[in-house]
Amino acid sequence: GDFVEAMYLMLQQDKPDDFVIATGENHTVEEFVELSFKYAGLTDYKKYINDFDKARIIVIGDLMLDYYMYGNVKRISPEAPVPVVNVTSESINLGGAANVMNNIVSLEGNVQICGVVGDDRSGERLFAEIKTRGVDPGGAIIEKGRPTTEKTRIIAHSQQVVRFDRE
């Protein structure tokens, strides 16, 4: 409500850095949160933070997996003018609403997840990852004939080369 609106208004200022400039210094995350709550007129911000684990939060949205492939480029393909990435490592993370759920879990929040996944291996993996974080995936629907959304990013030399999606 008021807090989200105040944060939105603060970020929509002509100069978003005014908040830092007005105080004359950079702030830690905790200080930024305190100032944000004060900006919203909520002076008892520590109560909200201390009671976060008592809040019941529902996350509704796109459940997906984010794939990352990291590597190096040493040549251009002879087939087309594109870099050839020699993959050196890979990772898979929860994406979309599942990432939001994961962030809430990491803050020891009580979260429920709702969304749609496909009836495929990626959907099974997503459910398993949700369960390993202690969240019941009962609010997620498995839809036959639909692929689970996957976003794959190819990164070489700290630069994203391409992203491809399966939806």
Side-chain angles (χ1 to χ4, degrees), residues 64-67 92-95 122 125-126 149-151:
M64 63 184 74
L65 290 174
D66 285 338
Y67 289 81
I92 303 172
N93 300 313
L94 295 174
S122 292
R125 181 176 190 141
L126 195 53
T149 301
E150 300 173 1
K151 303 206 181 273

Side-chain angles (χ1 to χ4, degrees), residues 14-149:
D14 289 338
K15 296 180 183 176
D17 294 338
D18 282 350
F19 208 70
V20 174
I21 293 168
T23 62
E25 59 188 62
N26 291 323
H27 296 287
T28 64
V29 171
E30 184 177 64
E31 290 169 334
F32 179 76
V33 169
E34 179 180 359
L35 292 169
S36 301
F37 272 92
K38 284 182 181 178
Y39 186 86
L42 303 170
T43 55
D44 194 15
Y45 76 96
K46 287 187 180 179
K47 177 186 181 312
Y48 294 100
I49 293 171
N50 293 335
D51 291 345
F52 184 76
D53 62 337
K54 296 178 182 93
R56 295 177 65 212
I57 302 165
I58 186 165
V59 176
I60 303 170
D62 295 327
L63 301 174
M64 63 184 74
L65 290 174
D66 285 338
Y67 289 81
Y68 293 88
M69 300 172 83
Y70 301 92
N72 300 307
V73 173
K74 294 185 179 173
R75 64 188 178 98
I76 301 297
S77 172
E79 301 157 348
V82 295
V84 175
V85 178
N86 179 33
V87 176
T88 57
S89 66
E90 299 180 45
S91 68
I92 303 172
N93 300 313
L94 295 174
N99 181 45
V100 174
M101 176 219 70
N102 190 47
N103 292 337
I104 293 168
V105 168
S106 73
L107 295 170
E108 300 179 6
N110 179 4
V111 64
Q112 296 295 311
I113 189 81
C114 294
V116 179
V117 299
D119 187 15
D120 54 18
R121 284 195 348 196
S122 292
E124 291 171 10
R125 181 176 190 141
L126 195 53
F127 265 52
E129 292 291 329
I130 289 169
K131 288 177 184 177
T132 64
R133 285 155 176 85
V135 176
D136 178 6
I141 298 167
I142 300 170
E143 185 177 324
K144 291 190 184 298
R146 175 194 193 280
T148 300
T149 301

